[in-house]
Amino acid sequence: MRRPSSLLRRLRPVTAQLKIDISPAPENPHFCLSPELLHVKPYPDPRGRPTKEILEFPAREVYSPHTCYRNLLYVYPHSLNFSSRQGSVRNLTVRIQYMAGEDPSQALPVIFGKSSCSEFTREAFTPVVYHNKSPEFYEEFKLCLPACVTDNHHLLFTFYHVSCQPRPGTALETPVGFTWIPLLQHGRLRTGPFCLPVSVDQPPPSYSVLTPDVALPGMRWVDGHKGVFSVELMAASSVHPQDPHLDKFFTLVHVLEEGAFPFRLKDAVLSEGTVEQELRASLSALRLASPEPLVAFSHHVLDKLVRLVVRPPVISGQMVNLGRGAFEAMAHVVSLVHRSLEAVQDARGHCPLAAYIYYAFRLPGAEPSLPGGAPPVTVQAATLARGSGRPASLYLARSKSVSSSNPDLAVAPGSVDDEVSRILASKGVDRSHSWVNSAYAPGGTKAVLRRAPPYCGADPRQLLHEELALQWVVSSSPVREAVLQHAWFFFQLMVKSMALHLLLGQRLDTPRKLRFPGRFLDDITALVGSVGMEVITRVHKDAELAERLNASLAFFLSDLLSLADRGFVFNLVRAHYKQVATRLQSAPNPTALLTLRLDFTRILCSHEHYVTLNLPCCPLSPPASPSPSVSSTTSQSSTFSSQAPDPKVASMFELSGLFRQQHFLAGLLLTELALALEPEAEGASLLHKKAISAVHTLLCSHDTDPRYAEATVKARVAELYLPLLSLARDTLPRLHDFAEGPGQRSRLASMLDSDTEGEGDIGSTINPSVAMAIAGGPLAPGSRTSISQGPPTASRSGCPLSAESSRTLLVCVLWVLKNAEPALLQRWAADLALPQLGRLLDLLYLCLAAFEYKGKKAFERINSLTFKKSLDMKARLEEAILGTIGARQEMVRRSRERSPFGNQENVRWRKSVTHWKQTSDRVDKTKDEMEHEALVDGNLATEASLVVLDTLEIIVQTVMLSEARESVLGAVLKVVLYSLGSAQSALFLQHGLATQRALVSKFPELLFEEDTELCADLCLRLLRHCGSRISTIRTHASASLYLLMRQNYEIGHNFARVKMQVTMSLSSLVGTTQNFSEEHLRRSLKTILTYAEEDVGLRDSTFAEQVQDLMFNLHMILTDTVKMKEHQEDPEMLIDLMYRIARGYQGSPDLRLTWLQNMAGKHAELGNHAEAAQCMVHAAALVAEYLALLEDSRHLPVGCVSFQNISSNVLEESAISDDILSPDEEGFCSGKHFTELGLVGLLEQAAAYFTMGGLYEAVNEVYKNLIPILEAHRDYKKLASVHGKLQEAFTKIMHQSSGWERVFGTYFRVGFYGARFGDLDEQEFVYKEPSITKLAEISHRLEEFYTERFGDDVVEIIKDSNPVDKSKLDPQKAYIQITYVEPHFDTYELKDRVTYFDRNYGLRAFLFCTPFTPDGRAHGELPEQHKRKTLLSTEHAFPYIKTRIRVCHREETVLTPVEVAIEDMQKKTRELAFATEQDPPDAKMLQMVLQGSVGPTVNQGPLEVAQVFLAEIPEDPKLFRHHNKLRLCFKDFCKKCEDALRKNKALIGPDQKEYHRELERHYCRLREALQPLLTQRLPQLLAPTPASLRNSLNRASFRRADL
């Protein structure tokens, strides 16, 4: 280290070692000592090495109330200046002592020792600063202040000079100065910085009560009594507030409690006369206290204020009423504390004020003795109209006293005897003169003093709640505002006071009506009314405050239910509802009010005795009083024991007035839900969510409540929610559609509706007056019809419910269905009208769809999508930054989005906070969490399905004897089938299949006489479960399927229908299901066969043989399936197999149709939309063929012929004729597609696929067949849609007229050679590949696929397109030859194929060319360059129902060199003509073509071609025609070059003129060179050629010839 200055150079460095040991702090360290050195539990071993907690002095204020005793003083000596002190004072140290008096022995051991010393010492020294008369100190001394500091307590500082070289006879330390600090001044602890004078002499007697600043006579001072010693004191104390306002307040209260008058306060002396005034001033000055000490001492302050309210002080024998002042001070203190603590809440979200009420607040204890030795008496608050129970000794003195709470009112002393008052109290009070809402109310126009009969008890602690209620009611507006801001605090304080009053006064056994005096209840009524009014009026001005107030009021009433008469509380609730209802009619935004009222109801219903309060066991008869009250004499145990007599069941399931009177709270909640679910409700989605989640939360709490664990008890609880079933049923059209199909939600209802068409809903859910009644809706009574009146099928508009709300509502419905008494449900179902029953079944159907198990993968997918939320936030942030959304809209949006449980601030310390904490913000879930979620989801799905199944059984039992049984049972079976079709657990399937068997055996006509659809569906479901991996499910499904066949056989001695449906179902299952287990299905088929063989009842019939035939047939289909499985990865082979199976079913239209649909599905999956459309067209043709045989309707297509314009291939569907079609009862053509509706569906699907594939022209052809059917049915809605789609199709054709915008496909010839290919050996196919597929791509795909199948080094691709010689190939290898082919059209065809679409649709002929030379090379010189043209014809036209079609015909033509030259020149001329005539012109393309035509080319340019073939006239007259044709080609070529040059000249700019001149020069040279060649004359040009010389080479167009 460098020593920077000469002064420092003289210093001697001292080597030292500093060792710092840092270790991470554990969460909860053991052996902890508090800053006061007290053991902090757990302290397992007193010998353990302690960990000291250091008291923190934070830089910023920390607001937290004192909850434990702390009384510490920190002393910081800063500096000392003895420069003017004479004598040897250089090595200075300061001794610090805490003195309790002036005697040296009175130094107290309160100074904390250093770590190696004893815990406490009586003195402490600063370090010595060597040879320095003005040392500066850096030491901190920590002292533990005594609990009671008196005026004599002071800090004594003694200054010593320390001798460094001790001499014999002289002391080591010499005192050289003294100074002190008295710790109390005017009763306050002195802290802060001090600059003290230092005395040279010992302080005189009685110095401790004075400060050193006082010049005492006969004392010498250093530096002439100037301040030379600088020191600072800092206190951390829960005893001394260190705030003047708090100090004064505590002092005054203490003086009054002690009654020690007169009393000195600072410089003033307080007598009994002036103390009241001082106290009032101090109360109002509390609001000026600084926030940190106010919060720290808030518990003490509030305790003292409560004491002043409850125990008015007695001054000179008179009681001083400070109620109003104390109440106002309390309001301000709470407000200040709350403001300071707004940002500070402890870890559980608890507010320290709430902690005060819960932990710290107690009613004040016994009254201290009065002055003058009088015995303690019971003092009651003598506030406005409360001064009756006073001690007799005070009456005379107060005869002329004035109420200090309200100076305008004179107080007449009450002289009622205590005994009489008690008798009056016990008999109750006549409240006929209640002043609530009257002009005589305090502050009213005619206010007079009210003298109420006293409610006098022996206990003085009873009045805080009464006083609070009264003061709140009569408070002035600024105070009321402060109280309203924190109403929850005062409400809680009242509740706690009431509870303590009942507990300490041992009144908990008193009848509820007698627990509180009537005047207090009057005050409460007035208070609740005014707070309710505040909520209503502020909802639009200050929504947040209204929300807080609303919640506080609700919690208060909820608590009152536990303490006061329930009838009284229900009346308060009812009054509040009426208030809101009145306001709703004129409210500009009723949603906000309704939302608040919903919160109010939700909080009220969260009462722990909610169920009991609803009188679950009383029959539905009007109670005697207008609002039912549960007296506390009714014991809890009898709640569920009484057996309810059977009322009219319907009213239990409706929100009738009777229901709402009997079950008051449940009625309120369900009415709120009904209003929220009304279609016309505004702001619906938020209301939906709130209302439904309120019901849901309640049901959750009932379900987990051990009190309601028994089934009979739960049934009683469920009775409170029965109207929920009707509500949900009528909301059905607006629930989220989980079934995801058009009209799924109300299909069963509409099915049953047809039976009772025109009838309205019988027994509507909510009678018209619901909207007002107790709850009060936004409209006047009678102005709205009931929720479900009107035609039942009319879909109501209105806001649909979100998926989340719908699921929650359905969960609630399922809970009620599960727990309600089955007999009750049965009686209800019996009373339902058919349409209502239908809608109930729809509701059950929707429940199944909503809770269907989606599997773990679905959860993983959801997990990956949750980050979308953050993207939303990002978008909002951008909006805010860019200013596209204003602050107002942002606020409105936030208020709408607020969590369904309202503002977090309302969550009280006492209620469970769990469900307020939303966990959905977490994005990534662990694997275990997802596993757990999937498990819960699976269990929920099973539970929901089982509940639905139970309900269905109840419905079946109900309708068994009714007339409309068939239609209802059909609907029931549909729901059962849906449940069997969705993903279900093994547990459910066992029950579900048992139910299905019971249904079929009891009502076989359902399946075998009515709807084939049901039979088909059932067979499909059963077969799917027959292939299950779980053996129990297979057993049940096999039994079901076998019994189905047996049932069918018993009816008609054959089971053709089931046979047909099972075969079709298996085909469909095989074609569409991926993870289908063929092995398990074979086992099930074997089981069924065993059943048939061992069935004793049918042993003599042909049943067993028929079953055997069917099983054999199914085995065959399965074998084909196995093949399909093998070729799963080879789409072409797979489609070929499906095609083959479909061909095999040519005689059975249903199955062929099934397989065509399977193929369409597979094509769509692979993206081959054109092929999928063709499958649909074939299916439609098949159906049309059948319909034409069955009936002759003009509007129907006449069989397949009508579809030939769409595809020529479709004629193959006409194989069906009369001899093949069996009669209908055999079960043929009985599926849903073999109807006009089915045909329409198939055609619509075909059109949709064509549109997806871009074949818009074909869409038109499809609709040509569809429109007449729709016209015949007068289905104008569909016609409008069809014409709209046609317009779109034609518009797209117009916009894409050139054709380049849609590319239809690329075609390749693929030949397979080699024994390894099996059936494919030596087969040639034309493959249709997606547009713009390169040869390399298909080559690579096929090579890779077959290499994987046959192994490496087996597959070889033949690179050329020459004919393959099989003898030269290796028999062990597999060879594939791939050639690009182009569609070919004869000249006559091109006249019809005008558009790009025409030239890409209905293709049968394909052409490819192979260049060759006589010596075997592909390319050579011009005179020897030949070309082979190969023309291939396919079995069917493209597009077809397959993407590869076999080549059925091949034709080859060889061109001579001159013919090749003619073709080349014609091609060049065409290119020139195209480039010249292009519109708009493309200069670049034109110049490229010109450059290639007239530019000097190195080889095989036009000039060389002319020189080779036109230089000499051929000797062979056969070639004259070709020679002449080539000459004409060149003439045409020159003409086109000239046109192109002219066009180019017009297009170029000045910068290209030179380039153009160069092109012209080249053209001139070319023309000159060609001139002599083109002017030669052929000798026999026009001579007739003998017929014998004609051969194919002379023909202008090639005709086909088999080679």
Side-chain angles (χ1 to χ4, degrees), residues 289-560:
S290 55
E292 196 179 9
L294 182 63
V295 173
F297 286 86
S298 55
H299 290 185
H300 302 297
V301 174
L302 289 168
D303 275 343
K304 297 298 181 193
L305 289 172
V306 165
R307 191 182 184 88
L308 285 177
V309 172
V310 176
R311 303 276 189 81
V314 177
I315 302 171
S316 17
Q318 287 195 0
M319 198 176 288
V320 180
N321 177 11
L322 294 166
R324 176 183 283 192
F327 182 72
E328 289 180 12
M330 203 183 291
H332 291 304
V333 166
V334 168
S335 196
L336 287 167
V337 170
H338 198 277
R339 209 172 309 145
S340 313
L341 291 168
E342 250 169 348
V344 189
Q345 291 194 334
D346 71 18
R348 290 162 301 179
H350 292 164
C351 158
L353 281 173
Y356 166 73
I357 293 174
Y358 192 52
Y359 300 108
F361 167 70
R362 294 285 179 274
L363 287 172
E367 186 78 359
S369 304
L370 290 172
V377 290
T378 341
V379 180
Q380 288 191 313
T383 57
L384 176 63
R386 296 282 159 89
S388 38
R390 299 195 185 88
S393 60
L394 299 182
Y395 285 138
L396 298 171
R398 293 230 38 200
S399 57
K400 289 274 165 71
S401 156
V402 170
S403 161
S404 49
S405 190
N406 189 342
D408 305 336
L409 308 180
V411 178
S415 53
V416 188
D417 189 44
D418 280 358
E419 214 166 304
V420 179
S421 7
R422 271 190 214 103
I423 295 165
L424 277 173
S426 64
K427 289 189 173 172
V429 177
D430 173 22
R431 303 290 294 172
S432 55
H433 60 290
S434 163
W435 53 267
V436 178
N437 299 333
S438 87
Y440 292 92
T445 50
K446 303 181 180 176
V448 292
L449 178 67
R450 169 172 59 101
R451 299 289 311 141
Y455 172 60
C456 186
D459 192 344
R461 286 174 283 188
Q462 64 199 11
L463 280 166
L464 176 66
H465 46 275
E466 300 188 14
E467 194 62 36
L468 281 177
L470 178 78
Q471 291 296 350
W472 193 340
V473 171
V474 301
S475 57
S476 58
S477 52
V479 179
R480 178 170 296 198
E481 189 59 38
V483 174
L484 284 176
Q485 288 290 342
H486 311 290
W488 68 269
F489 176 81
F490 293 94
F491 277 141
Q492 291 312 311
L493 203 55
M494 281 164 74
V495 168
K496 179 88 183 256
S497 167
M498 289 165 77
L500 285 172
H501 159 59
L502 292 178
L503 177 71
L504 301 175
Q506 294 171 346
R507 295 170 177 273
L508 285 172
D509 298 330
T510 316
R512 280 174 182 262
K513 288 197 178 209
L514 303 177
R515 286 182 179 181
F516 298 103
R519 62 168 183 267
F520 170 58
L521 298 183
D522 273 1
D523 289 348
I524 291 286
T525 309
L527 180 60
V528 170
S530 73
V531 172
M533 210 53 194
E534 292 288 348
V535 171
I536 295 167
T537 47
R538 288 172 190 256
V539 68
H540 305 302
K541 291 181 278 183
D542 185 353
E544 204 177 327
L545 175 62
E547 213 172 291
R548 288 208 307 270
L549 263 182
N550 184 53
S552 307
L553 183 61
F555 279 125
F556 176 59
L557 290 175
S558 174
D559 289 334
L560 277 188

Side-chain angles (χ1 to χ4, degrees), residues 1084-1104:
S1084 294
L1085 296 180
K1086 206 176 257 179
T1087 308
I1088 293 174
L1089 208 52
T1090 315
Y1091 278 145
E1093 286 164 5
E1094 294 178 4
D1095 192 337
V1096 181
L1098 296 174
R1099 188 157 283 175
D1100 306 331
S1101 64
T1102 58
F1103 179 63

Side-chain angles (χ1 to χ4, degrees), residues 682-740:
E682 287 180 46
S685 53
L686 177 69
L687 280 177
H688 290 165
K689 195 171 177 184
K690 269 185 176 287
I692 293 169
S693 75
V695 177
H696 179 245
T697 313
L698 260 181
L699 293 182
C700 290
S701 69
H702 299 332
D703 205 58
T704 51
D705 196 324
R707 294 174 296 178
Y708 315 132
E710 287 175 40
T712 48
V713 178
K714 266 213 175 104
R716 285 289 186 201
V717 177
E719 272 177 37
L720 298 176
Y721 296 96
L722 291 178
L724 191 63
L725 302 180
S726 311
L727 262 180
R729 187 192 66 206
D730 292 318
T731 313
L732 183 69
R734 290 180 299 111
L735 292 177
H736 180 80
D737 193 356
F738 296 97
E740 288 172 2

Side-chain angles (χ1 to χ4, degrees), residues 1377-1390:
Q1377 186 181 36
I1378 306 172
T1379 317
Y1380 171 71
V1381 295
E1382 286 182 330
H1384 172 75
F1385 309 104
D1386 280 333
T1387 316
Y1388 72 88
E1389 280 185 285
L1390 286 169

